[in-house]
Every structure is written in C-alpha cells, then in structure tokens.
Amino acid sequence: MNALSASMAISTGRVQLVTFRKQSLTMARWRVLWVALVFACVAAIAVMRIFYLGLADRSVSRTSLEDALLPSRGEITDRNGTPLARAFPAYALWYNPKALGEAGTPLVKSAEKVAAELEKIFPSLDESEVAQRLASGKAGYIRRRVLPEEANRVQDIGELALEIPRETDRHYPQGSMGAHILGYVAADGHGRVGMEQVLDKQLNDPTTRGTPVPLSIDLRVQGALEDELRRGMLLVNAKGAAGIVLDVDTGEVMALASLPEFDPNRIDEQGEKYMFNRVTNQVYELGSTFKPITVAAAIDAGVVRDFGKQYNAEPVQIGRFTIKDLHPLGATLNVPETLIHSSNTVTARLVDELGADRLRRTLMDLGMNERPYIELPARGFPIWPGEKWPRLRAMTVGYGHGIAVTPLHLASAYAAMVNGGIWRPATLHKIKPGDAPRGRRVFKASTSSRMRQLLRMVALYGTGRSANAPGFRVGGKTGSAEKPGAHGYRKSAVVSTFAAAFPMDRPRFVVVAMLDEPHGTVASSYQRTAAWNAGPIVGRLVPRIGPILGVRPDNTRDVDISDLKRLVPEAQK
C-alpha cells in the first residue's frame, strides 16, 4: 500500500511538473509574441515616419539612374584634360524655422546675435539683412558654397534652425584662372557669361554630360598670360589689361585673359563688376597696330611694289586738320621705315593711294565691321565708320583712329596677315587635327610673306625691340592711342597694345597684349607708349609659352630679310 501511494505521489508530481513546464512554455511564448508585437509596432511607426519624411522633406527627391551614376553637370577641361569646371558635393547654409516644431520661436538666441555670429564666419554677409531674414521666419538659403570648416563653425553656434544640407555644387579648381572664358553657374543651375552659358544644354543633358568637354585653351599658357599681364598692369598702374594667344592656322584660342578678373567660385558684388571681358566685349581704338594691315592691303592691291620708294613724310594737311607724327622722322621714308618708325603721315599717304573703298573692303574681309567671331556670348560691336568714308576718315582709320574694335578682332587679323593670307574665326573649342575651318582668303600668300619680313624688322630695329625674345623670332607692331572722351581725345588716358606673331619664319601663334590707361612709372621709364609697357609683356611671355606650345628657341634660323635690310639704316649698324 505504501509502495502504491509512493508510486502515485511520484506520478502526480510528474504530472504537475509537466503541467508547470507547459504553462511556463506557454507564458514564454506569449512574452516573445508580445515583444515581437512591440518591435513590429515600433518598426511600423519608424517605416511610417520614414515614408512621411520622404514625402514631406524638401531635400529628398526621386533619383533616376542617370542622376545616380552621372555628375549633375558635365565637366569642362582644357585641351590636355586638366579640369577647369566640375560638379562636386558641397554644403549650403539653410534656415529652417520649423526645426523646433510648429509652435515656439525657431531660434534659441536672438536673431541679431545669431546674425552677428554668422557674420564672423562669413564676413561678406550683411549682418542686418541676415537678422531681418531670421526674424521673418521664412525658410531659405542664407549662403551657398559653404566649406567644411565653415560648416563646423556654424554647427558650433548651436541653433537647430541653421541646417547644413549637402548638395552638388560647381567647383572651379583653378580659381580665377580663365574666369572670363568659363563664366560661372548661377543658383538656378544654369551657366552665365562664358562657356558655362554656351555649353549649358550639353552640360546638363544626361546623354552628353558624362563626357568632359575639352576647350582649346592650354592651362599652362593661360597661367603664364595672366601672370605676365598682371605684372605688366601693376608695373604701370594700369586700369586694366587684356591678352590673347591664338593659333594662326586653326583659330584656336590657346589663352585669353581680361584683368581684373573674378573668382567663379565666389560671385559677389566685386566679382560681378569684373565680369566685363576686355578681349571680346570692349572696343578700343588700337592705334598704330592697324598700320601693318594698311600696308598689307596696299601691297596686295599693287599700290606698293617698290619697297625702296621714298614717300613724303611731312605733315598732311586736310582742310583744318593736320596729320603728323609723334616725332619728326625726316622728309621721306620708305615702307619698311614707315612701319619701323610708326609713321602716321606716310601711312595716311598710302591710304590716299590705296583708296577708301579698298581699305574698307580689306577690313570687312577681316571681320572688323561685325562682332568678333567666337563662342562667348559677350561680344562687342565695333565702332565702324559707315559705308562712305571721306578722305580724312580713311586716312585716320589707316593708322588706327576713327575705328574701334576688340583685341580679338586684331588678333584674328594678324593671324590672317602672317599665316599665308587666310582669315579664320577664333574658337574656344578644341579642334581635331585636319578639322580646321577653311576660312577665307584676304591676302595673297606673297603679301603675307612680305608682312612676315616687315613685322620681324619692327621687332629687330623699331618700336617692337622690347618684345624681341632671343631665339623666338618675334615680329609685331606697337600701338598707342588716346582714349576718346566727351570733349575729344583724352590726352591723360591711352590704350597701349602690342600685336605680335612668332616664330616669323614659320608663324604658329599670334599674341596680343593690351594695357588700359597705363601710367608712366619708373618701370616704363616714365613713358606710356606700348614700346615701354605692352611690348615688354610679350617679350617676357613668349619665352615662357614657346616651349609649351612646341616652339623652342633657335638662334640659327630666322625669316630672310636680306633684300630689305639694305633699305633701313638701323639694319646696317
């Protein structure tokens, strides 16, 4: 009996133990289920929150495959593939007045105090304007293009309403270099001023923006040109400067600079003031740089055949006006001496023999009666004398007065004058070998050959000696012209220009350097003329860019001027 009772007790205990285990297991399952339900609810709330933010947040948008894989805007490079403009991730400063919720003030500190702290980080901000914007409670950008270190300082202010969203920005790795070529991208994502505007559609098109766009310029040449122009401008306290390096056979612009420049990475009020392009948009009376064009037209027309012929160099009297030279040059001069000494009087007499119509036709063939040919949107219209030129007007145009063109007009004309006589439009696009435009013939090849001799003689024996870089066989012509004002020409303001080509035995490149309102200083021997300021710029520039462009100095070769040297006393010394 005792054994049976013990057996039953053991069995009952086992049943109770099994029952307890089942109850414990059931309870554990319910606990796990409740925990899972809680997690599911939390996850559902999180998903709903993310979905809400995806619909409500201004900074999140649907991204297409091309947007994910391609840059937001295409890259611009120089002819060698060096980046000039590219898209990159950046920061911005955004004011979100709802960052702390709908109710209450958006800022912990006063708007004035926050604005003062922001002005310390960004000195170009207007403190009172920022304070008013913060107090207004309107969302919007306070600043674009914020650097990482600036973003950190904004975060240190401790205002949640000052957000630092990441966005894609346009970056110019070379800073202000080539700014007038490139232009910039505005806040609306579209290009302004330069090639950014010209190429805007191509750079934004998903089918083309993945391929960088190469320009014709060489960044190394661009840097040298800007450096020498800046140096020359500062040496004579000039108001501004302009320069261009042009391939004479293709029309490709290897470098183009207008000073003062602007920084496309930071467009401010001062930058907007300097966006004006002196090379393509500003027209000037370029003075004696026109004399070789006049001589070329006279040679081409057969008016000048005998280069030893002596022309009257005395002042020319036309009605009540007198044309004279800056300094007396003697009673007579031949054509080489006319260019070497830059004679106004002989040039005027050559125009008289050539005739106004033929000179006008030559200048029109060189494109000087219309805006310069180049892709840039800012292109100045020349001051053109009209259809019928009186005798006096034709004479003054012959030596660069009474007509105003851009430095680019002049560069393209000189290219035609030395490359065999073919005028071609300038371009900022890189041209593949063999794809250069055919252009149009302006001068005979024989005329071009003579002009190479004459321009070389100006650099050897005349006003262009300061540009005669040893070994590079430079040829060119100076030009100094008073600027017109409200009451006639301003004797205190001149434009000094040197137009050159090198090497003259086989011209490859034209270089034009211009200074706007230079002053006579110690550096220019207190002279304002181009021989003392613009010429030396070219003389320093050519040795820097020649080897880069494949032109090495060579003192063993030169253009043959033996048949003309005997006509110039300076060449006999």
Side-chain angles (χ1 to χ4, degrees):
M1 186 69 180
N2 291 334
L4 181 61
S5 298
S7 176
M8 291 179 62
I10 291 172
S11 177
T12 302
R14 287 177 177 174
V15 171
Q16 290 177 344
L17 181 59
V18 170
T19 302
F20 178 74
R21 287 179 176 176
K22 287 182 178 181
Q23 290 176 347
S24 298
L25 183 60
T26 302
M27 186 177 295
R29 287 174 176 172
W30 276 105
R31 286 176 178 174
V32 170
L33 180 62
W34 278 109
V35 170
L37 287 173
V38 170
F39 274 108
C41 290
V42 171
I45 292 171
V47 169
M48 292 176 65
R49 177 64 174 170
I50 292 172
F51 181 73
Y52 169 77
L53 291 175
L55 294 177
D57 188 42
R58 60 169 179 82
S59 63
V60 179
S61 60
R62 182 178 298 173
T63 302
S64 64
L65 181 62
E66 59 265 21
D67 288 336
L69 298 178
L70 297 174
S72 59
R73 187 177 176 88
E75 185 175 289
I76 300 176
T77 71
D78 82 337
R79 65 186 302 107
N80 301 310
T82 305
L84 300 176
R86 60 180 11 171
F88 83 115
Y91 296 97
L93 177 53
W94 173 270
Y95 178 49
N96 180 13
K98 297 181 180 180
L100 295 178
E102 299 289 341
T105 58
L107 298 173
V108 177
K109 305 172 188 175
S110 68
E112 291 75 15
K113 188 172 182 180
V114 173
E117 293 187 45
L118 289 175
E119 195 270 338
K120 292 178 182 177
I121 303 172
F122 309 107
S124 61
L125 289 180
D126 187 319
E127 184 177 333
S128 60
E129 183 181 330
V130 173
Q132 291 177 4
R133 183 184 299 181
L134 295 176
S136 69
K138 293 182 179 179
Y141 284 106
I142 296 177
R143 186 178 180 86
R144 309 292 292 270
R145 293 176 176 167
V146 175
L147 297 175
E149 57 268 26
E150 294 171 334
N152 291 334
R153 293 178 64 186
V154 171
Q155 297 284 18
D156 291 340
I157 295 176
E159 294 286 353
L160 293 180
L162 299 178
E163 298 180 350
I164 307 291
R166 288 180 67 91
E167 57 184 23
T168 301
D169 199 1
R170 194 65 165 169
H171 179 57
Y172 302 89
Q174 314 305 328
S176 62
M177 189 182 299
H180 288 89
I181 297 171
L182 295 171
Y184 68 101
V185 174
D188 62 2
H190 293 287
R192 299 286 192 276
V193 181
M195 294 302 284
E196 289 278 25
Q197 179 176 335
V198 175
L199 300 169
D200 193 62
K201 184 177 180 181
Q202 180 178 348
L203 295 174
N204 282 323
D205 190 339
T207 62
T208 56
R209 71 184 190 218
T211 303
V213 179
L215 300 185
S216 61
I217 68 168
D218 187 309
L219 192 63
R220 300 165 297 176
V221 178
Q222 180 72 28
L225 175 63
E226 292 188 19
D227 185 45
E228 292 298 345
L229 282 177
R230 188 178 297 107
R231 177 183 174 185
M233 184 176 75
L234 294 175
L235 284 174
V236 295
N237 299 323
K239 177 182 177 182
I244 185 170
V245 180
L246 189 71
D247 188 309
V248 303
D249 293 320
T250 65
E252 290 175 288
V253 176
M254 310 306 293
L256 182 153
S258 176
L259 300 179
E261 71 276 47
F262 66 95
D263 186 351
N265 288 308
R266 291 187 178 277
I267 301 300
D268 51 20
E269 185 176 344
Q270 180 174 328
E272 291 180 352
K273 182 173 69 174
Y274 292 150
M275 284 181 191
F276 194 82
N277 191 333
R278 298 175 188 273
V279 181
T280 66
N281 204 19
Q282 179 66 62
V283 296
Y284 302 90
E285 291 190 3
L286 295 174
S288 297
T289 56
F290 265 57
K291 290 173 183 172
I293 300 174
T294 300
V295 170
I299 296 172
D300 215 59
V303 171
V304 172
R305 297 177 184 272
D306 180 4
F307 287 83
K309 178 182 177 180
Q310 296 294 312
Y311 290 85
N312 184 0
E314 298 293 335
V316 181
Q317 190 72 37
I318 305 292
R320 60 189 180 90
F321 297 98
T322 302
I323 297 173
K324 56 185 179 181
D325 291 319
L326 184 63
H327 306 290
L329 299 174
T332 62
L333 295 171
N334 57 39
V335 169
E337 290 174 319
T338 296
L339 290 181
I340 287 172
H341 299 296
S342 196
S343 172
N344 296 334
T345 59
V346 175
T347 304
R349 288 187 168 93
L350 286 176
V351 172
D352 219 22
E353 291 188 31
L354 175 65
D357 289 342
R358 284 193 286 194
L359 177 60
R360 179 175 174 272
R361 181 72 259 168
T362 297
L363 296 180
M364 290 176 66
D365 288 343
L366 293 171
M368 292 192 177
N369 64 324
E370 51 193 344
R371 298 182 191 276
Y373 281 81
I374 197 168
E375 294 82 3
L376 294 178
R379 297 175 297 126
F381 197 87
I383 298 177
W384 182 251
E387 293 189 9
K388 293 294 183 181
W389 295 2
R391 183 184 179 202
L392 178 62
R393 174 54 58 87
M395 286 182 171
T396 60
V397 168
Y399 56 84
H401 287 73
I403 181 172
V405 298
T406 67
L408 177 57
H409 279 108
L410 186 67
S412 295
Y414 268 62
M417 198 159 48
V418 302
N419 71 2
I422 306 298
W423 179 91
R424 293 183 178 88
T427 180
L428 282 165
H429 289 295
K430 182 180 179 181
I431 297 177
K432 295 179 181 178
D435 287 349
R438 294 185 61 183
R440 60 174 176 251
R441 179 163 293 282
V442 179
F443 302 112
K444 300 170 186 174
S446 58
T447 300
S448 179
S449 178
R450 277 298 187 191
M451 293 313 302
R452 292 197 289 269
Q453 292 177 302
L454 292 169
L455 290 172
R456 179 65 176 136
M457 294 181 76
V458 174
L460 286 171
Y461 313 118
T463 56
R465 280 175 286 191
S466 60
N468 185 29
F472 288 94
R473 294 94 73 197
V474 176
K477 184 70 184 74
T478 53
S480 305
E482 294 173 353
K483 296 178 72 173
H487 305 288
Y489 286 96
R490 299 159 52 197
K491 294 188 179 299
S492 61
V494 301
V495 173
S496 297
T497 309
F498 193 86
F502 75 98
M504 292 309 292
D505 53 309
R506 173 59 179 89
R508 294 275 309 282
F509 302 98
V510 160
V511 180
V512 173
M514 188 211 73
L515 293 170
D516 191 355
E517 297 189 20
H519 294 82
T521 64
V522 174
S524 63
S525 300
Y526 298 100
Q527 302 293 320
R528 296 182 301 161
T529 57
W532 298 92
N533 47 48
I537 292 175
V538 175
R540 294 190 299 265
L541 177 65
V542 169
R544 291 183 62 176
I545 66 175
I548 295 173
L549 296 172
V551 180
R552 298 187 179 277
D554 187 347
N555 291 311
T556 65
R557 54 188 298 182
D558 208 333
V559 61
D560 182 10
I561 57 173
S562 57
D563 60 328
L564 298 179
K565 284 179 68 173
R566 61 183 177 80
L567 304 176
V568 179
E570 289 80 1
Q572 309 305 317
K573 297 177 181 178

